Structures are given as structure tokens and as C-alpha cells.
PDB file of all heavy atoms in Angstrom:
ATOM      1  N   LEU A   5       0.829  -1.205   0.000  1.00 92.00           N
ATOM      2  CA  LEU A   5       0.000   0.000   0.000  1.00 92.00           C
ATOM      3  C   LEU A   5       0.865   1.258   0.000  1.00 92.00           C
ATOM      4  O   LEU A   5       0.611   2.206  -0.756  1.00 92.00           O
ATOM      5  CB  LEU A   5      -0.918  -0.022   1.221  1.00 92.00           C
ATOM      6  CG  LEU A   5      -1.972   1.080   1.325  1.00 92.00           C
ATOM      7  CD1 LEU A   5      -2.951   0.995   0.168  1.00 92.00           C
ATOM      8  CD2 LEU A   5      -2.713   0.982   2.660  1.00 92.00           C
ATOM      9  N   ALA A   6       1.902   1.263   0.845  1.00 93.00           N
ATOM     10  CA  ALA A   6       2.782   2.428   0.919  1.00 93.00           C
ATOM     11  C   ALA A   6       3.544   2.639  -0.382  1.00 93.00           C
ATOM     12  O   ALA A   6       3.678   3.775  -0.870  1.00 93.00           O
ATOM     13  CB  ALA A   6       3.754   2.267   2.085  1.00 93.00           C
ATOM     14  N   VAL A   7       4.047   1.562  -0.973  1.00 94.00           N
ATOM     15  CA  VAL A   7       4.802   1.669  -2.220  1.00 94.00           C
ATOM     16  C   VAL A   7       3.909   2.198  -3.340  1.00 94.00           C
ATOM     17  O   VAL A   7       4.316   3.058  -4.136  1.00 94.00           O
ATOM     18  CB  VAL A   7       5.410   0.305  -2.590  1.00 94.00           C
ATOM     19  CG1 VAL A   7       5.882   0.296  -4.038  1.00 94.00           C
ATOM     20  CG2 VAL A   7       6.567  -0.027  -1.661  1.00 94.00           C
ATOM     21  N   THR A   8       2.685   1.715  -3.423  1.00 95.00           N
ATOM     22  CA  THR A   8       1.778   2.148  -4.492  1.00 95.00           C
ATOM     23  C   THR A   8       1.464   3.634  -4.394  1.00 95.00           C
ATOM     24  O   THR A   8       1.561   4.377  -5.376  1.00 95.00           O
ATOM     25  CB  THR A   8       0.483   1.326  -4.434  1.00 95.00           C
ATOM     26  OG1 THR A   8       0.790  -0.067  -4.559  1.00 95.00           O
ATOM     27  CG2 THR A   8      -0.461   1.729  -5.550  1.00 95.00           C
ATOM     28  N   ILE A   9       1.075   4.083  -3.206  1.00 95.00           N
ATOM     29  CA  ILE A   9       0.684   5.488  -3.045  1.00 95.00           C
ATOM     30  C   ILE A   9       1.869   6.419  -3.284  1.00 95.00           C
ATOM     31  O   ILE A   9       1.763   7.410  -4.022  1.00 95.00           O
ATOM     32  CB  ILE A   9       0.084   5.707  -1.646  1.00 95.00           C
ATOM     33  CG1 ILE A   9      -1.226   4.913  -1.507  1.00 95.00           C
ATOM     34  CG2 ILE A   9      -0.176   7.183  -1.386  1.00 95.00           C
ATOM     35  CD1 ILE A   9      -1.829   4.969  -0.127  1.00 95.00           C
ATOM     36  N   THR A  10       2.999   6.125  -2.665  1.00 95.00           N
ATOM     37  CA  THR A  10       4.152   7.021  -2.791  1.00 95.00           C
ATOM     38  C   THR A  10       4.728   7.023  -4.205  1.00 95.00           C
ATOM     39  O   THR A  10       5.261   8.046  -4.651  1.00 95.00           O
ATOM     40  CB  THR A  10       5.240   6.628  -1.784  1.00 95.00           C
ATOM     41  OG1 THR A  10       5.567   5.228  -1.946  1.00 95.00           O
ATOM     42  CG2 THR A  10       4.765   6.858  -0.367  1.00 95.00           C
ATOM     43  N   SER A  11       4.619   5.934  -4.929  1.00 95.00           N
ATOM     44  CA  SER A  11       5.124   5.907  -6.305  1.00 95.00           C
ATOM     45  C   SER A  11       4.314   6.846  -7.190  1.00 95.00           C
ATOM     46  O   SER A  11       4.872   7.602  -8.001  1.00 95.00           O
ATOM     47  CB  SER A  11       5.067   4.480  -6.857  1.00 95.00           C
ATOM     48  OG  SER A  11       5.874   3.611  -6.092  1.00 95.00           O
ATOM     49  N   ILE A  12       2.994   6.818  -7.051  1.00 95.00           N
ATOM     50  CA  ILE A  12       2.149   7.710  -7.850  1.00 95.00           C
ATOM     51  C   ILE A  12       2.382   9.160  -7.444  1.00 95.00           C
ATOM     52  O   ILE A  12       2.490  10.053  -8.307  1.00 95.00           O
ATOM     53  CB  ILE A  12       0.671   7.323  -7.684  1.00 95.00           C
ATOM     54  CG1 ILE A  12       0.439   5.884  -8.154  1.00 95.00           C
ATOM     55  CG2 ILE A  12      -0.226   8.279  -8.461  1.00 95.00           C
ATOM     56  CD1 ILE A  12      -0.954   5.365  -7.890  1.00 95.00           C
ATOM     57  N   LEU A  13       2.477   9.424  -6.156  1.00 94.00           N
ATOM     58  CA  LEU A  13       2.725  10.790  -5.699  1.00 94.00           C
ATOM     59  C   LEU A  13       4.094  11.282  -6.152  1.00 94.00           C
ATOM     60  O   LEU A  13       4.263  12.470  -6.477  1.00 94.00           O
ATOM     61  CB  LEU A  13       2.614  10.860  -4.176  1.00 94.00           C
ATOM     62  CG  LEU A  13       1.212  10.635  -3.594  1.00 94.00           C
ATOM     63  CD1 LEU A  13       1.251  10.716  -2.083  1.00 94.00           C
ATOM     64  CD2 LEU A  13       0.228  11.651  -4.151  1.00 94.00           C
ATOM     65  N   GLY A  14       5.085  10.403  -6.182  1.00 93.00           N
ATOM     66  CA  GLY A  14       6.399  10.799  -6.661  1.00 93.00           C
ATOM     67  C   GLY A  14       6.368  11.222  -8.122  1.00 93.00           C
ATOM     68  O   GLY A  14       6.997  12.219  -8.510  1.00 93.00           O
ATOM     69  N   ALA A  15       5.634  10.478  -8.950  1.00 93.00           N
ATOM     70  CA  ALA A  15       5.491  10.862 -10.357  1.00 93.00           C
ATOM     71  C   ALA A  15       4.776  12.199 -10.492  1.00 93.00           C
ATOM     72  O   ALA A  15       5.145  13.047 -11.317  1.00 93.00           O
ATOM     73  CB  ALA A  15       4.735   9.769 -11.112  1.00 93.00           C
ATOM     74  N   LEU A  16       3.752  12.414  -9.662  1.00 93.00           N
ATOM     75  CA  LEU A  16       3.009  13.681  -9.704  1.00 93.00           C
ATOM     76  C   LEU A  16       3.892  14.852  -9.276  1.00 93.00           C
ATOM     77  O   LEU A  16       3.880  15.917  -9.911  1.00 93.00           O
ATOM     78  CB  LEU A  16       1.776  13.584  -8.808  1.00 93.00           C
ATOM     79  CG  LEU A  16       0.949  14.859  -8.642  1.00 93.00           C
ATOM     80  CD1 LEU A  16       0.403  15.322  -9.991  1.00 93.00           C
ATOM     81  CD2 LEU A  16      -0.177  14.634  -7.644  1.00 93.00           C
ATOM     82  N   LEU A  17       4.652  14.675  -8.214  1.00 92.00           N
ATOM     83  CA  LEU A  17       5.523  15.759  -7.741  1.00 92.00           C
ATOM     84  C   LEU A  17       6.579  16.119  -8.776  1.00 92.00           C
ATOM     85  O   LEU A  17       6.930  17.293  -8.939  1.00 92.00           O
ATOM     86  CB  LEU A  17       6.192  15.337  -6.431  1.00 92.00           C
ATOM     87  CG  LEU A  17       5.279  15.247  -5.203  1.00 92.00           C
ATOM     88  CD1 LEU A  17       6.056  14.705  -4.006  1.00 92.00           C
ATOM     89  CD2 LEU A  17       4.683  16.604  -4.877  1.00 92.00           C
ATOM     90  N   LEU A  18       7.074  15.127  -9.487  1.00 89.00           N
ATOM     91  CA  LEU A  18       8.087  15.402 -10.506  1.00 89.00           C
ATOM     92  C   LEU A  18       7.508  16.269 -11.621  1.00 89.00           C
ATOM     93  O   LEU A  18       8.174  17.178 -12.123  1.00 89.00           O
ATOM     94  CB  LEU A  18       8.617  14.087 -11.075  1.00 89.00           C
ATOM     95  CG  LEU A  18       9.804  14.191 -12.041  1.00 89.00           C
ATOM     96  CD1 LEU A  18      10.992  14.843 -11.355  1.00 89.00           C
ATOM     97  CD2 LEU A  18      10.182  12.806 -12.566  1.00 89.00           C
ATOM     98  N   PHE A  19       6.261  16.043 -11.999  1.00 85.00           N
ATOM     99  CA  PHE A  19       5.629  16.868 -13.020  1.00 85.00           C
ATOM    100  C   PHE A  19       5.303  18.257 -12.487  1.00 85.00           C
ATOM    101  O   PHE A  19       5.369  19.242 -13.223  1.00 85.00           O
ATOM    102  CB  PHE A  19       4.354  16.192 -13.531  1.00 85.00           C
ATOM    103  CG  PHE A  19       4.588  15.330 -14.736  1.00 85.00           C
ATOM    104  CD1 PHE A  19       4.724  13.963 -14.597  1.00 85.00           C
ATOM    105  CD2 PHE A  19       4.697  15.881 -15.996  1.00 85.00           C
ATOM    106  CE1 PHE A  19       4.949  13.160 -15.700  1.00 85.00           C
ATOM    107  CE2 PHE A  19       4.921  15.089 -17.108  1.00 85.00           C
ATOM    108  CZ  PHE A  19       5.051  13.733 -16.956  1.00 85.00           C
ATOM    109  N   ASN A  20       4.939  18.346 -11.208  1.00 86.00           N
ATOM    110  CA  ASN A  20       4.611  19.657 -10.647  1.00 86.00           C
ATOM    111  C   ASN A  20       5.840  20.550 -10.529  1.00 86.00           C
ATOM    112  O   ASN A  20       5.789  21.744 -10.852  1.00 86.00           O
ATOM    113  CB  ASN A  20       3.958  19.491  -9.273  1.00 86.00           C
ATOM    114  CG  ASN A  20       2.513  19.058  -9.376  1.00 86.00           C
ATOM    115  OD1 ASN A  20       1.896  19.176 -10.429  1.00 86.00           O
ATOM    116  ND2 ASN A  20       1.967  18.552  -8.290  1.00 86.00           N
ATOM    117  N   PHE A  21       6.947  19.999 -10.052  1.00 87.00           N
ATOM    118  CA  PHE A  21       8.138  20.806  -9.815  1.00 87.00           C
ATOM    119  C   PHE A  21       9.017  20.962 -11.053  1.00 87.00           C
ATOM    120  O   PHE A  21       9.795  21.918 -11.133  1.00 87.00           O
ATOM    121  CB  PHE A  21       8.961  20.200  -8.673  1.00 87.00           C
ATOM    122  CG  PHE A  21       8.294  20.309  -7.335  1.00 87.00           C
ATOM    123  CD1 PHE A  21       8.019  19.174  -6.586  1.00 87.00           C
ATOM    124  CD2 PHE A  21       7.928  21.536  -6.824  1.00 87.00           C
ATOM    125  CE1 PHE A  21       7.392  19.265  -5.349  1.00 87.00           C
ATOM    126  CE2 PHE A  21       7.312  21.633  -5.587  1.00 87.00           C
ATOM    127  CZ  PHE A  21       7.045  20.507  -4.850  1.00 87.00           C
ATOM    128  N   ALA A  22       8.916  20.036 -11.986  1.00 84.00           N
ATOM    129  CA  ALA A  22       9.749  20.113 -13.194  1.00 84.00           C
ATOM    130  C   ALA A  22       8.930  19.679 -14.409  1.00 84.00           C
ATOM    131  O   ALA A  22       9.166  18.613 -14.987  1.00 84.00           O
ATOM    132  CB  ALA A  22      10.996  19.242 -13.040  1.00 84.00           C
ATOM    133  N   PRO A  23       7.942  20.493 -14.812  1.00 81.00           N
ATOM    134  CA  PRO A  23       7.067  20.079 -15.922  1.00 81.00           C
ATOM    135  C   PRO A  23       7.781  20.004 -17.265  1.00 81.00           C
ATOM    136  O   PRO A  23       7.365  19.250 -18.141  1.00 81.00           O
ATOM    137  CB  PRO A  23       5.982  21.168 -15.931  1.00 81.00           C
ATOM    138  CG  PRO A  23       6.617  22.351 -15.283  1.00 81.00           C
ATOM    139  CD  PRO A  23       7.550  21.804 -14.257  1.00 81.00           C
ATOM    140  N   ALA A  24       8.841  20.801 -17.464  1.00 81.00           N
ATOM    141  CA  ALA A  24       9.532  20.835 -18.751  1.00 81.00           C
ATOM    142  C   ALA A  24      10.790  19.973 -18.766  1.00 81.00           C
ATOM    143  O   ALA A  24      11.640  20.130 -19.647  1.00 81.00           O
ATOM    144  CB  ALA A  24       9.890  22.277 -19.110  1.00 81.00           C
ATOM    145  N   LEU A  25      10.923  19.062 -17.831  1.00 85.00           N
ATOM    146  CA  LEU A  25      12.119  18.231 -17.746  1.00 85.00           C
ATOM    147  C   LEU A  25      12.213  17.310 -18.962  1.00 85.00           C
ATOM    148  O   LEU A  25      11.218  16.676 -19.342  1.00 85.00           O
ATOM    149  CB  LEU A  25      12.079  17.400 -16.466  1.00 85.00           C
ATOM    150  CG  LEU A  25      13.406  16.839 -15.936  1.00 85.00           C
ATOM    151  CD1 LEU A  25      14.330  17.965 -15.521  1.00 85.00           C
ATOM    152  CD2 LEU A  25      13.131  15.914 -14.748  1.00 85.00           C
ATOM    153  N   PRO A  26      13.376  17.218 -19.618  1.00 88.00           N
ATOM    154  CA  PRO A  26      13.509  16.293 -20.756  1.00 88.00           C
ATOM    155  C   PRO A  26      13.263  14.851 -20.332  1.00 88.00           C
ATOM    156  O   PRO A  26      13.371  14.490 -19.154  1.00 88.00           O
ATOM    157  CB  PRO A  26      14.957  16.512 -21.215  1.00 88.00           C
ATOM    158  CG  PRO A  26      15.335  17.858 -20.695  1.00 88.00           C
ATOM    159  CD  PRO A  26      14.589  18.020 -19.402  1.00 88.00           C
ATOM    160  N   ALA A  27      12.934  14.027 -21.310  1.00 87.00           N
ATOM    161  CA  ALA A  27      12.556  12.643 -21.024  1.00 87.00           C
ATOM    162  C   ALA A  27      13.677  11.874 -20.329  1.00 87.00           C
ATOM    163  O   ALA A  27      13.439  11.137 -19.368  1.00 87.00           O
ATOM    164  CB  ALA A  27      12.154  11.937 -22.315  1.00 87.00           C
ATOM    165  N   THR A  28      14.917  12.044 -20.809  1.00 90.00           N
ATOM    166  CA  THR A  28      16.023  11.304 -20.202  1.00 90.00           C
ATOM    167  C   THR A  28      16.241  11.726 -18.749  1.00 90.00           C
ATOM    168  O   THR A  28      16.499  10.876 -17.879  1.00 90.00           O
ATOM    169  CB  THR A  28      17.302  11.528 -21.012  1.00 90.00           C
ATOM    170  OG1 THR A  28      17.524  12.947 -21.161  1.00 90.00           O
ATOM    171  CG2 THR A  28      17.182  10.900 -22.393  1.00 90.00           C
ATOM    172  N   TRP A  29      16.122  13.024 -18.483  1.00 92.00           N
ATOM    173  CA  TRP A  29      16.265  13.502 -17.113  1.00 92.00           C
ATOM    174  C   TRP A  29      15.102  13.016 -16.250  1.00 92.00           C
ATOM    175  O   TRP A  29      15.283  12.696 -15.068  1.00 92.00           O
ATOM    176  CB  TRP A  29      16.337  15.027 -17.095  1.00 92.00           C
ATOM    177  CG  TRP A  29      17.670  15.559 -17.507  1.00 92.00           C
ATOM    178  CD1 TRP A  29      18.133  15.717 -18.783  1.00 92.00           C
ATOM    179  CD2 TRP A  29      18.722  15.977 -16.637  1.00 92.00           C
ATOM    180  NE1 TRP A  29      19.397  16.214 -18.768  1.00 92.00           N
ATOM    181  CE2 TRP A  29      19.797  16.398 -17.469  1.00 92.00           C
ATOM    182  CE3 TRP A  29      18.867  16.059 -15.253  1.00 92.00           C
ATOM    183  CZ2 TRP A  29      20.986  16.873 -16.951  1.00 92.00           C
ATOM    184  CZ3 TRP A  29      20.062  16.542 -14.745  1.00 92.00           C
ATOM    185  CH2 TRP A  29      21.098  16.934 -15.580  1.00 92.00           C
ATOM    186  N   ARG A  30      13.897  12.971 -16.821  1.00 92.00           N
ATOM    187  CA  ARG A  30      12.743  12.507 -16.045  1.00 92.00           C
ATOM    188  C   ARG A  30      12.898  11.033 -15.690  1.00 92.00           C
ATOM    189  O   ARG A  30      12.620  10.619 -14.557  1.00 92.00           O
ATOM    190  CB  ARG A  30      11.461  12.742 -16.845  1.00 92.00           C
ATOM    191  CG  ARG A  30      10.182  12.543 -16.033  1.00 92.00           C
ATOM    192  CD  ARG A  30       8.965  12.905 -16.863  1.00 92.00           C
ATOM    193  NE  ARG A  30       9.028  14.279 -17.321  1.00 92.00           N
ATOM    194  CZ  ARG A  30       8.690  15.320 -16.593  1.00 92.00           C
ATOM    195  NH1 ARG A  30       8.273  15.146 -15.353  1.00 92.00           N
ATOM    196  NH2 ARG A  30       8.770  16.537 -17.090  1.00 92.00           N
ATOM    197  N   ILE A  31      13.331  10.223 -16.638  1.00 94.00           N
ATOM    198  CA  ILE A  31      13.540   8.798 -16.367  1.00 94.00           C
ATOM    199  C   ILE A  31      14.645   8.616 -15.339  1.00 94.00           C
ATOM    200  O   ILE A  31      14.523   7.799 -14.411  1.00 94.00           O
ATOM    201  CB  ILE A  31      13.872   8.064 -17.682  1.00 94.00           C
ATOM    202  CG1 ILE A  31      12.676   8.115 -18.630  1.00 94.00           C
ATOM    203  CG2 ILE A  31      14.262   6.613 -17.404  1.00 94.00           C
ATOM    204  CD1 ILE A  31      12.986   7.633 -20.029  1.00 94.00           C
ATOM    205  N   GLY A  32      15.726   9.362 -15.489  1.00 94.00           N
ATOM    206  CA  GLY A  32      16.803   9.272 -14.509  1.00 94.00           C
ATOM    207  C   GLY A  32      16.363   9.706 -13.119  1.00 94.00           C
ATOM    208  O   GLY A  32      16.744   9.082 -12.115  1.00 94.00           O
ATOM    209  N   SER A  33      15.542  10.752 -13.052  1.00 94.00           N
ATOM    210  CA  SER A  33      15.045  11.206 -11.750  1.00 94.00           C
ATOM    211  C   SER A  33      14.161  10.149 -11.098  1.00 94.00           C
ATOM    212  O   SER A  33      14.249   9.907  -9.883  1.00 94.00           O
ATOM    213  CB  SER A  33      14.260  12.510 -11.924  1.00 94.00           C
ATOM    214  OG  SER A  33      15.083  13.532 -12.465  1.00 94.00           O
ATOM    215  N   LEU A  34      13.314   9.508 -11.900  1.00 95.00           N
ATOM    216  CA  LEU A  34      12.468   8.444 -11.357  1.00 95.00           C
ATOM    217  C   LEU A  34      13.311   7.253 -10.899  1.00 95.00           C
ATOM    218  O   LEU A  34      12.984   6.603  -9.892  1.00 95.00           O
ATOM    219  CB  LEU A  34      11.453   8.000 -12.410  1.00 95.00           C
ATOM    220  CG  LEU A  34      10.338   8.997 -12.736  1.00 95.00           C
ATOM    221  CD1 LEU A  34       9.470   8.476 -13.871  1.00 95.00           C
ATOM    222  CD2 LEU A  34       9.475   9.267 -11.503  1.00 95.00           C
ATOM    223  N   ALA A  35      14.395   6.955 -11.623  1.00 95.00           N
ATOM    224  CA  ALA A  35      15.263   5.849 -11.216  1.00 95.00           C
ATOM    225  C   ALA A  35      15.944   6.148  -9.880  1.00 95.00           C
ATOM    226  O   ALA A  35      16.019   5.282  -8.990  1.00 95.00           O
ATOM    227  CB  ALA A  35      16.301   5.580 -12.300  1.00 95.00           C
ATOM    228  N   VAL A  36      16.437   7.373  -9.726  1.00 95.00           N
ATOM    229  CA  VAL A  36      17.049   7.762  -8.447  1.00 95.00           C
ATOM    230  C   VAL A  36      16.015   7.726  -7.327  1.00 95.00           C
ATOM    231  O   VAL A  36      16.290   7.247  -6.209  1.00 95.00           O
ATOM    232  CB  VAL A  36      17.691   9.157  -8.568  1.00 95.00           C
ATOM    233  CG1 VAL A  36      18.190   9.633  -7.216  1.00 95.00           C
ATOM    234  CG2 VAL A  36      18.825   9.126  -9.579  1.00 95.00           C
ATOM    235  N   PHE A  37      14.822   8.245  -7.620  1.00 96.00           N
ATOM    236  CA  PHE A  37      13.733   8.213  -6.635  1.00 96.00           C
ATOM    237  C   PHE A  37      13.411   6.779  -6.213  1.00 96.00           C
ATOM    238  O   PHE A  37      13.212   6.487  -5.022  1.00 96.00           O
ATOM    239  CB  PHE A  37      12.500   8.894  -7.228  1.00 96.00           C
ATOM    240  CG  PHE A  37      11.215   8.552  -6.548  1.00 96.00           C
ATOM    241  CD1 PHE A  37      10.971   8.925  -5.231  1.00 96.00           C
ATOM    242  CD2 PHE A  37      10.212   7.867  -7.221  1.00 96.00           C
ATOM    243  CE1 PHE A  37       9.773   8.616  -4.595  1.00 96.00           C
ATOM    244  CE2 PHE A  37       9.013   7.551  -6.600  1.00 96.00           C
ATOM    245  CZ  PHE A  37       8.801   7.920  -5.282  1.00 96.00           C
ATOM    246  N   ALA A  38      13.376   5.860  -7.180  1.00 96.00           N
ATOM    247  CA  ALA A  38      13.062   4.466  -6.866  1.00 96.00           C
ATOM    248  C   ALA A  38      14.161   3.823  -6.027  1.00 96.00           C
ATOM    249  O   ALA A  38      13.876   3.119  -5.037  1.00 96.00           O
ATOM    250  CB  ALA A  38      12.843   3.688  -8.160  1.00 96.00           C
ATOM    251  N   LEU A  39      15.409   4.046  -6.401  1.00 96.00           N
ATOM    252  CA  LEU A  39      16.523   3.441  -5.659  1.00 96.00           C
ATOM    253  C   LEU A  39      16.576   3.956  -4.222  1.00 96.00           C
ATOM    254  O   LEU A  39      16.683   3.170  -3.265  1.00 96.00           O
ATOM    255  CB  LEU A  39      17.838   3.718  -6.380  1.00 96.00           C
ATOM    256  CG  LEU A  39      18.051   2.971  -7.701  1.00 96.00           C
ATOM    257  CD1 LEU A  39      19.313   3.466  -8.388  1.00 96.00           C
ATOM    258  CD2 LEU A  39      18.130   1.465  -7.454  1.00 96.00           C
ATOM    259  N   LEU A  40      16.498   5.269  -4.068  1.00 96.00           N
ATOM    260  CA  LEU A  40      16.541   5.834  -2.719  1.00 96.00           C
ATOM    261  C   LEU A  40      15.282   5.475  -1.933  1.00 96.00           C
ATOM    262  O   LEU A  40      15.352   5.198  -0.728  1.00 96.00           O
ATOM    263  CB  LEU A  40      16.708   7.354  -2.799  1.00 96.00           C
ATOM    264  CG  LEU A  40      18.033   7.847  -3.383  1.00 96.00           C
ATOM    265  CD1 LEU A  40      18.054   9.367  -3.420  1.00 96.00           C
ATOM    266  CD2 LEU A  40      19.219   7.317  -2.582  1.00 96.00           C
ATOM    267  N   GLY A  41      14.136   5.482  -2.612  1.00 95.00           N
ATOM    268  CA  GLY A  41      12.896   5.127  -1.928  1.00 95.00           C
ATOM    269  C   GLY A  41      12.895   3.692  -1.450  1.00 95.00           C
ATOM    270  O   GLY A  41      12.481   3.400  -0.314  1.00 95.00           O
ATOM    271  N   GLY A  42      13.364   2.756  -2.304  1.00 95.00           N
ATOM    272  CA  GLY A  42      13.437   1.358  -1.886  1.00 95.00           C
ATOM    273  C   GLY A  42      14.405   1.156  -0.742  1.00 95.00           C
ATOM    274  O   GLY A  42      14.136   0.400   0.204  1.00 95.00           O
ATOM    275  N   ALA A  43      15.555   1.840  -0.810  1.00 95.00           N
ATOM    276  CA  ALA A  43      16.547   1.706   0.260  1.00 95.00           C
ATOM    277  C   ALA A  43      16.024   2.240   1.587  1.00 95.00           C
ATOM    278  O   ALA A  43      16.166   1.598   2.640  1.00 95.00           O
ATOM    279  CB  ALA A  43      17.829   2.437  -0.135  1.00 95.00           C
ATOM    280  N   MET A  44      15.380   3.406   1.551  1.00 95.00           N
ATOM    281  CA  MET A  44      14.878   4.003   2.789  1.00 95.00           C
ATOM    282  C   MET A  44      13.680   3.225   3.334  1.00 95.00           C
ATOM    283  O   MET A  44      13.540   3.059   4.553  1.00 95.00           O
ATOM    284  CB  MET A  44      14.497   5.459   2.545  1.00 95.00           C
ATOM    285  CG  MET A  44      15.680   6.367   2.231  1.00 95.00           C
ATOM    286  SD  MET A  44      16.951   6.317   3.519  1.00 95.00           S
ATOM    287  CE  MET A  44      16.028   6.925   4.935  1.00 95.00           C
ATOM    288  N   ALA A  45      12.816   2.738   2.441  1.00 94.00           N
ATOM    289  CA  ALA A  45      11.651   1.980   2.898  1.00 94.00           C
ATOM    290  C   ALA A  45      12.085   0.710   3.630  1.00 94.00           C
ATOM    291  O   ALA A  45      11.586   0.393   4.720  1.00 94.00           O
ATOM    292  CB  ALA A  45      10.754   1.634   1.713  1.00 94.00           C
ATOM    293  N   MET A  46      13.029  -0.024   3.054  1.00 94.00           N
ATOM    294  CA  MET A  46      13.489  -1.247   3.707  1.00 94.00           C
ATOM    295  C   MET A  46      14.350  -0.954   4.932  1.00 94.00           C
ATOM    296  O   MET A  46      14.417  -1.765   5.853  1.00 94.00           O
ATOM    297  CB  MET A  46      14.270  -2.104   2.709  1.00 94.00           C
ATOM    298  CG  MET A  46      13.384  -2.751   1.669  1.00 94.00           C
ATOM    299  SD  MET A  46      12.099  -3.827   2.404  1.00 94.00           S
ATOM    300  CE  MET A  46      10.622  -2.835   2.126  1.00 94.00           C
ATOM    301  N   LEU A  47      14.998   0.214   4.948  1.00 94.00           N
ATOM    302  CA  LEU A  47      15.745   0.598   6.138  1.00 94.00           C
ATOM    303  C   LEU A  47      14.795   0.757   7.324  1.00 94.00           C
ATOM    304  O   LEU A  47      15.096   0.336   8.444  1.00 94.00           O
ATOM    305  CB  LEU A  47      16.505   1.903   5.878  1.00 94.00           C
ATOM    306  CG  LEU A  47      17.397   2.409   7.024  1.00 94.00           C
ATOM    307  CD1 LEU A  47      18.545   1.439   7.269  1.00 94.00           C
ATOM    308  CD2 LEU A  47      17.939   3.801   6.708  1.00 94.00           C
ATOM    309  N   VAL A  48      13.634   1.347   7.057  1.00 93.00           N
ATOM    310  CA  VAL A  48      12.645   1.536   8.118  1.00 93.00           C
ATOM    311  C   VAL A  48      11.960   0.213   8.459  1.00 93.00           C
ATOM    312  O   VAL A  48      11.862  -0.185   9.628  1.00 93.00           O
ATOM    313  CB  VAL A  48      11.604   2.594   7.698  1.00 93.00           C
ATOM    314  CG1 VAL A  48      10.471   2.665   8.715  1.00 93.00           C
ATOM    315  CG2 VAL A  48      12.269   3.958   7.549  1.00 93.00           C
ATOM    316  N   ILE A  49      11.466  -0.494   7.417  1.00 91.00           N
ATOM    317  CA  ILE A  49      10.656  -1.697   7.654  1.00 91.00           C
ATOM    318  C   ILE A  49      11.502  -2.838   8.204  1.00 91.00           C
ATOM    319  O   ILE A  49      11.095  -3.529   9.148  1.00 91.00           O
ATOM    320  CB  ILE A  49       9.961  -2.121   6.353  1.00 91.00           C
ATOM    321  CG1 ILE A  49       8.957  -1.051   5.923  1.00 91.00           C
ATOM    322  CG2 ILE A  49       9.251  -3.468   6.522  1.00 91.00           C
ATOM    323  CD1 ILE A  49       8.345  -1.294   4.563  1.00 91.00           C
ATOM    324  N   GLN A  50      12.683  -3.036   7.629  1.00 89.00           N
ATOM    325  CA  GLN A  50      13.489  -4.186   8.028  1.00 89.00           C
ATOM    326  C   GLN A  50      14.447  -3.865   9.169  1.00 89.00           C
ATOM    327  O   GLN A  50      14.494  -4.604  10.165  1.00 89.00           O
ATOM    328  CB  GLN A  50      14.276  -4.719   6.830  1.00 89.00           C
ATOM    329  CG  GLN A  50      14.924  -6.072   7.080  1.00 89.00           C
ATOM    330  CD  GLN A  50      15.662  -6.573   5.853  1.00 89.00           C
ATOM    331  OE1 GLN A  50      16.578  -5.926   5.365  1.00 89.00           O
ATOM    332  NE2 GLN A  50      15.254  -7.728   5.352  1.00 89.00           N
ATOM    333  N   MET A  51      15.189  -2.782   9.030  1.00 88.00           N
ATOM    334  CA  MET A  51      16.211  -2.484  10.029  1.00 88.00           C
ATOM    335  C   MET A  51      15.635  -1.852  11.293  1.00 88.00           C
ATOM    336  O   MET A  51      15.983  -2.243  12.412  1.00 88.00           O
ATOM    337  CB  MET A  51      17.267  -1.545   9.421  1.00 88.00           C
ATOM    338  CG  MET A  51      17.996  -2.142   8.245  1.00 88.00           C
ATOM    339  SD  MET A  51      18.989  -3.573   8.730  1.00 88.00           S
ATOM    340  CE  MET A  51      19.852  -3.929   7.194  1.00 88.00           C
TER     341      MET A  51
END
């Protein structure tokens, strides 16, 4: 549930704060968001 909601909100925030971001930068930003989000989520849930 947490992953689903935050993933959609992350995509929305990226469009709100950087609507004119090029496609490669947008994909890279989402990749960084996913890596850091997964690491922090498991740091909280597991550790």
C-alpha cells in the first residue's frame, strides 16, 4: 500500500516541480527516486 501510493505521488511531484524536464532527465530522476525510496523503505521496515 505504501509503495503504491508514494510511487504515484512521486510521479506527480516530478511533473509539478519540473514540468519541462527532458525525457532522459525525467527517467533518470524516477530511477534515483526508486533506488533511494526502496533503500529508505526497507531501512525503516526491516532495520
Side-chain angles (χ1 to χ4, degrees):
L5 186 63
V7 165
T8 302
I9 295 175
T10 54
S11 299
I12 300 174
L13 292 179
L16 175 61
L17 290 175
L18 187 60
F19 268 99
N20 283 343
F21 291 122
L25 201 65
T28 53
W29 283 81
R30 191 175 301 278
I31 295 170
S33 299
L34 289 176
V36 174
F37 161 65
L39 289 173
L40 294 179
M44 293 304 298
M46 288 301 108
L47 183 65
V48 173
I49 295 173
Q50 192 179 59
M51 298 295 186

